[in-house]
Amino acid sequence: MTPSELPHPKLKRTNTGFTPNQIIAYDAQIPESAKSIWSKYSKLKKLENLSEPGLATIDKDDFEKNFVNHVEFSLARNMYNCDNLAAYQAASDSIRDALLLDWANTQQKQTIHDGKRVYYLSLEFLMGRAMDNALINLDSRDAAKLALTDLGFNLEDVLEQEPDAGLGNGGLGRLAACFVDSLSSKNYSGWGYGLNYQYGIFKQLIIDGYQVETPDYWLKFSNPWEIDRHEIQIPVDFYGWVEVEVDPNTGVGKKVWKGGERVLAVASDFPIPGFNTSNTNNLRLWNAKPTNEFDFNKFNSGDYNSSVAAQQRAESITAVLYPNDNFYSGKELRLKQQYFWVAASLHDIVRRYKKNHRDDWSKFTDKVAIQLNDTHPTLAVVELQRILVDLEGLAWDDAWDIVTNTFAYTNHTVMSEALEKWPVQLMENLLPRHLEIIYDINYYFLKKVERLFPDDRELLGKVSIIEENGVKSVRMAYLAIVGSHKVNGVAELHSELIKTTIFKDFVKVFGPDKFTNVTNGVTPRRWLKQANPELAALIAEALNDPEYEYLTNLGRLKELEKFVDDDKFLTRWDNIKFNNKRRLAALIKSETDIDVDPNVMFDVQVKRIHEYKRQQLNIFAVIYRYLRIKELQAEGVSIEDIKLKHYISKASIFGGKAAPGYYMAKTIIHLINSVGSVVNNDTEIDNLLKVVFVPDYNVSKAEIICPGSDLSNHISTAGTEASGTSNMKFALNGGLIIGTVDGANVEITREIGEENIFLFGNLAESVEELRHNHLYSGVTVPEKLQKVFDAILSGQFGDPNEYKPLIESITNHGDYYLVTDDFDLFLECQDRLEKVFGHHGGDASDLDHLHKWVKKSLLSVANMGFFSSDRCIDEYAENIWNVEPLNQ
């Protein structure tokens, strides 16, 4: 028998919520003596008290008691061998115990309430460290700090033991993490669904200036914040074939997916606490496991490697985020990963719905809203249709009506080349039944288009889910649009661009109302209170808000404007920035062994390395600055005169990972490090310039880098960045922005004022014309940029052959990202902002810096209230999901 013909195991699970009927049934089976004991010792709320307010905070005595208990019984250690790592593990277990009370009470309350639940499907959840976040949201940080001090530990040292959860890479995953935090903090019923990657994306090492990828062993000491649900095992099938089975009684045929390979999706749960609320939602992460780990017959016959082949094949699915897809097996693994995740999630969602409503599908869209975070989870559309039609027996049209009213799709790119496509041949081999369903979805959709536009034959090819040109492929973004009731962009400019460029034909078919905007945001709990506790405390003091309630009502930051002319307040503000710069300087020293002076301007660009984000533009400008400094010195200009009349002292700080198969991005990293090697070892330029690349950029490092920046770069080619959220994090922490008119920079400018941001560059409406001119009239390299290219090609920064492809992509291949067009504008903008910062910007007694730069910093923060992820979630809830908060 093939795996698909085997009987599916009954899903055994520990319920995280019981329906009223289940409670009655179970209660009747439990002896009175057992009820008495549970009532005596259980810390969970009684069912009749679930609606009572109050969260499970931790007091000092309880923390100390639980800490010692976990050291001795969970870790089998004692007072004499409890080091910082053991202290972190015991402290985490103690905090998690309190968290689980709110978590269990929340799940039970939500199940009894039986309201609409939101399910957020994201391939990435870049959570960062969990312990500090949990302490802040549980309002227990002070108690834990005192307890750990009395126990002989320092809270900060203990927090440093926690590795960053390797569940994401860039802005997509960080946005998802902010959103699940806001779902809990705003009292919505919502779950996240993702994958539990064993080795993250990779740990980035910089060796001889090159990025080297190594496994990220973030689970080396296990993860105390996850609850392993070994009893929740959902079978997921791949490969095989499709047969038609005819019902002998009715003569009706039914499609059946048979054969193939089966793996098990095993759940791990990650509680997500809300701030100032007991509402604690869940992030469910799937682990891939084999149905049979070990083939004893092969082992006994001496075929040891093959005996564990099934285990290796299964576990590779959740081994690494974004496996390299430059070859067929990598592409297959990526598609396998995506289907495994959505199949397990959909079956879990359907199982939860049927617990309350059995086979009454008429209420499904009133109880379930599913948000697709980018195109990665788009197969969920097909899987739900398969579940409803093949497994539950619904008619096609009834099922499709449920599907399209359940899903909504968030688009994160305006670049057509970045839209996901899967070769039909690959899909047919791996998921034969799903390809059939995709063909049917496309057929019915194109018939509809044909009826609406009978004279527009070209439109059919433009909107078809199947791309016929070149390699026949499934266009996942098109499938997501057709299968959803709403499509949103993530910034106003982005949402307008997708309607007028990549998705304009779908606007014609569906009308503009299907497309909407929800500008991204960030959670102020992590990105202000946790990342910048000094600034968060100063704001709380200024707002007379000792409970930090402004963190869930970020619009109150506007009240800071009344301090804009208060020199004492501005000085305190600036001192906090200086303290944060010292923290960042210490991080740089520990990571790179480079000394940077916190008195100089910290000019930062940290984000995923990509040509459209234009780290190459930034490093070219750094090279020009260095060359010009050397020219001035050759002309006899002193260091002091250069500082006073030409260039302020600054450190250019970079960070970010390049995809393993993205050669050009890795070349940019190598160039940055090579330039740093030359500049940082040039003793003649004093502290005029330093160039730093912080390796293995992650959330924890961002929590130090964002508060420590004076200036951050968000300089993508106009019309390429969907939104960006790091711009919001930097601005919320008092750093000013240099940026293009792109993504959320547009709305940040509107909120904080054009005078408080430094904008440059060509606008989105000019981009296509400039690219056309480059292709047909050639690229004109400005004189200053040509100096940079000449220096690189002369070997001043190492082997010039290493960088030729990067330079030739600009000079010989159309300069797609408009480096030549924006280079001089970028330099002019830097000159402009450096005059505002002043030549003594790090001097606390410099009133000019205080009244110009620091005032802009204060005004930026005061007007960042719009960019809270809480506002985003409220907009999704009202305009897309149609859900309301579950009142405490």
Side-chain angles (χ1 to χ4, degrees):
M1 296 178 74
T2 63
S4 292
E5 292 169 322
L6 291 167
H8 281 232
K10 188 176 179 182
L11 181 62
K12 296 179 181 179
R13 64 185 303 279
T14 301
N15 286 283
T16 49
F18 302 90
T19 66
N21 287 339
Q22 284 177 321
I23 290 166
I24 292 168
Y26 293 157
D27 194 70
Q29 299 170 28
I30 298 172
E32 290 301 320
S33 58
K35 291 179 193 176
S36 175
I37 293 168
W38 279 99
S39 178
K40 182 177 179 182
Y41 295 113
S42 175
K43 295 181 180 179
L44 295 175
K45 288 182 180 177
K46 292 184 168 59
L47 296 177
E48 61 271 19
N49 299 330
L50 281 173
S51 59
E52 291 180 1
L55 64 159
T57 54
I58 303 166
D59 68 35
K60 180 173 174 289
D61 289 343
D62 280 344
F63 183 90
E64 291 169 351
K65 175 184 174 184
N66 292 333
F67 180 94
V68 171
N69 186 63
H70 279 298
V71 168
E72 294 184 346
F73 295 104
S74 301
L75 304 177
R77 292 199 184 201
N78 57 52
M79 180 171 65
Y80 302 105
N81 63 0
C82 181
D83 57 12
N84 277 335
L85 175 62
Y88 159 69
Q89 292 170 323
S92 296
D93 286 342
S94 304
I95 297 159
R96 194 190 75 168
D97 289 348
L99 199 59
L100 288 181
L101 293 176
D102 283 340
W103 180 80
N105 290 330
T106 299
Q107 303 313 310
Q108 183 58 65
K109 181 179 177 180
Q110 290 178 358
T111 302
I112 288 177
H113 180 257
D114 193 26
K116 192 171 190 177
R117 265 198 179 112
V118 175
Y119 297 101
Y120 197 81
L121 269 58
S122 180
L123 201 56
E124 297 184 40
F125 286 92
L126 198 56
M127 303 302 293
R129 292 170 172 166
M131 181 169 156
D132 204 14
N133 186 66
L135 286 172
I136 288 168
N137 284 8
L138 287 169
D139 193 24
S140 301
R141 200 177 194 277
D142 291 342
K145 186 170 187 173
L146 285 171
L148 284 168
T149 300
D150 286 354
L151 286 160
F153 297 96
N154 178 278
L155 175 61
E156 279 65 36
D157 293 338
V158 171
L159 292 172
E160 280 297 311
Q161 300 303 308
E162 182 177 359
D164 274 47
L167 301 173
N169 176 35
L172 186 82
R174 191 50 241 168
L175 181 76
C178 286
F179 279 5
V180 291
D181 176 273
S182 287
L183 278 166
S184 289
S185 296
K186 296 292 286 184
N187 294 318
Y188 292 102
S189 301
W191 281 41
Y193 276 104
L195 292 177
N196 201 21
Y197 305 104
Q198 299 304 295
Y199 306 108
I201 183 164
F202 58 83
K203 183 177 177 63
Q204 181 193 54
L205 302 179
I206 301 298
I207 299 176
D208 297 330
Y210 295 92
Q211 169 179 294
V212 176
E213 302 92 18
T214 61
D216 177 9
Y217 295 106
W218 72 281
L219 289 171
K220 181 165 59 174
F221 297 109
S222 76
N223 182 5
W225 303 100
E226 286 181 2
I227 304 115
D228 290 326
R229 296 284 187 181
H230 297 294
E231 72 280 11
I232 301 178
Q233 299 185 0
I234 295 177
V236 179
D237 294 333
F238 301 103
Y239 308 111
W241 62 90
V242 180
E243 291 181 356
V244 177
E245 291 186 354
V246 179
D247 187 321
N249 299 319
T250 63
V252 176
K254 178 183 175 184
K255 293 286 183 78
V256 179
W257 181 19
K258 289 192 170 184
E261 175 181 291
R262 173 172 290 179
V263 298
L264 296 176
V266 182
S268 293
D269 286 345
F270 194 123
I272 308 292
F275 180 74
N276 279 349
T277 173
S278 62
N279 193 51
T280 303
N281 283 316
N282 194 43
L283 172 59
R284 177 155 286 176
L285 303 168
W286 298 108
N287 304 277
K289 300 292 180 185
T291 49
N292 293 300
E293 290 190 12
F294 190 69
D295 189 322
F296 222 111
N297 291 329
K298 286 183 178 177
F299 186 85
N300 283 339
S301 66
D303 191 358
Y304 304 126
N305 289 336
S306 295
S307 67
V308 292
Q311 178 182 1
Q312 292 170 341
R313 203 161 52 247
E315 292 181 354
S316 68
I317 294 172
T318 51
V320 174
L321 168 65
Y322 300 138
N324 189 345
D325 63 351
N326 286 353
F327 41 88
Y328 180 85
S329 58
K331 282 186 172 64
E332 184 183 70
L333 182 56
R334 274 208 187 189
L335 186 57
K336 227 179 192 184
Q337 199 174 61
Q338 291 184 10
Y339 176 65
F340 168 83
W341 155 51
V342 300
S345 303
L346 261 293
H347 284 270
D348 200 42
I349 291 166
V350 167
R351 189 259 325 144
R352 191 172 298 109
Y353 172 80
K354 291 183 75 172
K355 184 167 66 174
N356 266 352
H357 303 285
R358 300 187 182 275
D359 296 325
D360 181 3
W361 297 102
S362 65
K363 296 178 182 175
F364 191 82
T365 57
D366 295 327
K367 303 298 180 184
V368 174
I370 302 176
Q371 189 69 33
L372 307 174
N373 190 27
D374 212 350
T375 53
H376 307 126
T378 304
L379 280 171
V381 170
V382 189
E383 179 66 5
L384 183 56
Q385 183 73 0
R386 186 183 78 86
I387 291 169
L388 296 175
V389 173
D390 291 3
L391 305 184
E392 299 295 337
L394 271 68
W396 177 277
D397 288 346
D398 293 339
W400 187 242
D401 191 51
I402 291 171
V403 168
T404 53
N405 283 292
T406 297
F407 288 102
Y409 160 52
T410 300
N411 170 269
H412 285 278
T413 185
V414 290
M415 297 188 291
S416 56
E417 66 271 21
L419 295 174
E420 221 176 9
K421 299 173 188 174
W422 291 110
V424 163
Q425 184 182 6
L426 172 61
M427 186 83 72
E428 186 175 35
N429 180 47
L430 189 67
L431 302 168
R433 177 59 182 139
H434 294 75
L435 183 62
E436 288 186 353
I437 293 171
I438 290 168
Y439 275 133
D440 287 342
I441 291 169
N442 197 41
Y443 172 77
Y444 291 123
F445 171 60
L446 293 182
K447 292 291 283 183
K448 173 187 172 182
V449 174
E450 194 173 37
R451 284 196 307 273
L452 290 172
F453 305 96
D455 301 323
D456 194 346
R457 308 297 297 177
E458 283 188 8
L459 183 61
L460 296 175
K462 289 177 181 176
V463 299
S464 174
I465 293 167
I466 305 299
E467 182 177 58
E468 304 287 350
N469 300 326
V471 177
K472 197 172 182 179
S473 302
V474 181
R475 296 157 156 166
M476 302 307 281
Y478 290 13
L479 178 57
I481 293 169
V482 174
S484 298
H485 66 279
K486 280 286 185 183
V487 178
N488 73 281
V490 289
E492 285 179 5
L493 175 63
H494 170 237
S495 296
E496 284 305 309
L497 283 172
I498 63 174
K499 288 195 289 184
T500 56
T501 57
I502 53 174
F503 299 148
K504 64 181 178 183
D505 296 311
F506 288 96
V507 175
K508 184 176 180 180
V509 173
F510 290 110
D513 289 348
K514 179 163 182 161
F515 297 83
T516 188
N517 175 63
V518 182
T519 298
N520 282 345
V522 299
T523 167
R525 273 77 64 181
R526 181 177 290 271
W527 292 110
L528 189 54
K529 180 77 165 70
Q530 183 171 331
N532 202 342
E534 269 195 279
L535 185 62
L538 177 62
I539 293 170
E541 178 192 323
L543 301 183
N544 192 24
D545 182 10
E547 300 301 318
Y548 289 82
E549 291 180 359
Y550 75 90
L551 293 175
T552 48
N553 181 14
L554 207 60
R556 287 201 62 202
L557 291 178
K558 188 76 174 171
E559 297 172 39
L560 292 172
E561 286 187 342
K562 65 189 175 190
F563 297 99
V564 75
D565 294 316
D566 184 335
D567 280 6
K568 285 185 179 178
F569 189 83
L570 291 176
T571 301
R572 291 179 68 190
W573 188 275
D574 198 34
N575 288 340
I576 289 169
K577 174 62 71 177
F578 185 72
N579 290 340
N580 286 323
K581 289 174 71 175
R582 290 173 65 185
R583 267 205 315 160
L584 176 50
L587 172 71
I588 291 168
K589 178 65 175 175
S590 68
E591 292 287 331
T592 68
D593 202 32
I594 296 169
D595 291 299
V596 292
D597 180 356
N599 290 292
V600 308
M601 173 190 270
F602 281 7
D603 182 342
V604 177
Q605 188 179 19
V606 286
K607 51 185 75 221
R608 184 165 53 92
I609 309 295
H610 197 290
E611 288 166 278
Y612 88 82
K613 294 178 183 288
R614 297 205 296 190
Q615 286 92 348
Q616 71 274 31
L617 175 65
N618 195 351
I619 192 61
F620 292 156
V622 171
I623 293 171
Y624 179 76
R625 188 186 192 93
Y626 176 66
L627 296 175
R628 187 72 187 116
I629 289 169
K630 297 303 288 183
E631 282 179 1
L632 290 167
Q633 286 187 304
E635 293 166 10
V637 183
S638 69
I639 290 286
E640 282 308 308
D641 277 351
I642 293 174
K643 289 180 180 179
L644 287 170
K645 298 175 183 176
H646 299 278
Y647 292 117
I648 65 172
S649 297
K650 81 170 180 180
S652 287
I653 300 163
F654 295 84
K657 294 178 179 179
Y662 190 178
Y663 171 76
M664 206 66 86
K666 295 173 93 167
T667 301
I668 293 169
I669 291 174
H670 185 216
L671 179 59
I672 292 168
N673 283 296
S674 297
V675 172
S677 181
V678 171
V679 171
N680 300 337
N681 289 299
D682 188 336
T683 55
E684 295 177 358
I685 64 171
D686 193 43
N687 70 343
L688 266 171
L689 184 62
K690 293 282 187 181
V691 181
V692 174
F693 188 93
V694 179
D696 205 39
Y697 176 61
N698 57 21
V699 175
S700 297
K701 288 173 183 170
E703 289 169 12
I704 296 172
I705 293 169
C706 289
S709 81
D710 291 305
L711 180 75
S712 62
N713 291 256
H714 309 278
I715 56 177
S716 52
T717 309
T720 60
E721 184 72 84
S723 168
T725 52
S726 66
N727 44 9
M728 302 169 191
K729 294 160 196 164
F730 281 104
L732 186 61
N733 280 279
L736 299 191
I737 288 172
I738 180 172
T740 47
V741 184
D742 196 27
N745 286 354
V746 176
E747 286 140 290
I748 291 174
T749 303
R750 184 187 65 203
E751 294 295 319
I752 71 175
E754 200 168 339
E755 67 280 7
N756 296 316
I757 189 170
F758 300 98
L759 297 176
F760 75 96
N762 286 276
L763 302 180
E765 49 264 35
S766 306
V767 168
E768 285 309 314
E769 184 181 349
L770 289 167
R771 284 174 176 162
H772 181 272
N773 291 340
H774 288 173
L775 286 174
Y776 295 101
S777 304
V779 174
T780 302
V781 179
E783 182 184 342
K784 292 175 180 177
L785 183 57
Q786 189 60 54
K787 279 187 176 181
V788 172
F789 290 168
D790 291 344
I792 294 171
L793 295 174
S794 74
Q796 190 168 348
F797 303 103
D799 182 358
N801 291 315
E802 299 266 358
Y803 310 117
K804 270 187 181 176
L806 179 61
I807 293 173
E808 288 175 355
S809 72
I810 296 166
T811 57
N812 299 354
H813 301 293
D815 188 16
Y816 189 77
Y817 297 106
L818 310 189
V819 173
T820 54
D821 301 278
D822 284 350
F823 185 73
D824 284 349
L825 299 171
F826 186 40
L827 295 181
E828 288 165 16
C829 191
Q830 288 184 332
D831 288 341
R832 193 167 74 246
L833 70 87
E834 288 177 17
K835 287 182 175 65
V836 178
F837 189 81
H839 294 284
H840 300 96
D843 185 347
S845 62
D846 182 1
L847 290 179
D848 197 44
H849 174 73
L850 202 69
H851 292 158
K852 289 182 178 179
W853 190 272
V854 179
K855 187 176 285 191
K856 289 180 184 295
S857 169
L858 172 64
L859 288 170
S860 292
V861 175
N863 289 283
M864 285 299 291
F866 177 78
F867 299 100
S868 169
S869 52
D870 296 348
R871 184 265 314 155
C872 305
I873 290 302
D874 284 339
E875 288 185 15
Y876 276 104
E878 184 174 349
N879 302 325
I880 297 176
W881 301 331
N882 191 28
V883 297
E884 293 184 355
L886 180 58
N887 292 328
Q888 290 299 290

